[in-house]
Amino acid sequence: GVARTETNGFQILFTGLAGQQHILQETTSLTNPWNFVGNPFACASGTNFVPVVPTPPATFWRVVPYP
């Protein structure tokens, strides 16, 4: 899911297991390759969030398990 923040960004909400590694990815088009954003992070059990502040030209984001 997505939640708007008070700044110019938003949060990507996802469900994970405690200690499972994830990483944020972005792309400019769903037909282009996905690029890693930042470092992998461990999540908590249940709902987690990743803050995103959009920077052009990226327009699509996702959180994926890592590695």
Side-chain angles (χ1 to χ4, degrees):
V2 177
R4 180 169 220 132
T5 62
E6 293 180 14
T7 62
N8 291 333
F10 57 91
Q11 296 176 344
I12 297 176
L13 306 172
F14 67 99
T15 302
L17 301 174
Q20 188 177 39
Q21 294 286 306
H22 285 77
I23 193 163
L24 179 66
Q25 293 182 323
E26 67 181 11
T27 188
T28 57
S29 167
L30 295 178
T31 58
N32 289 344
W34 288 90
N35 300 308
F36 292 116
V37 178
N39 295 314
F41 54 89
C43 65
S45 188
T47 302
N48 293 264
F49 69 92
V50 177
V52 176
V53 177
T55 55
T59 55
F60 299 96
W61 295 268
R62 69 182 181 183
V63 176
V64 295
Y66 184 88

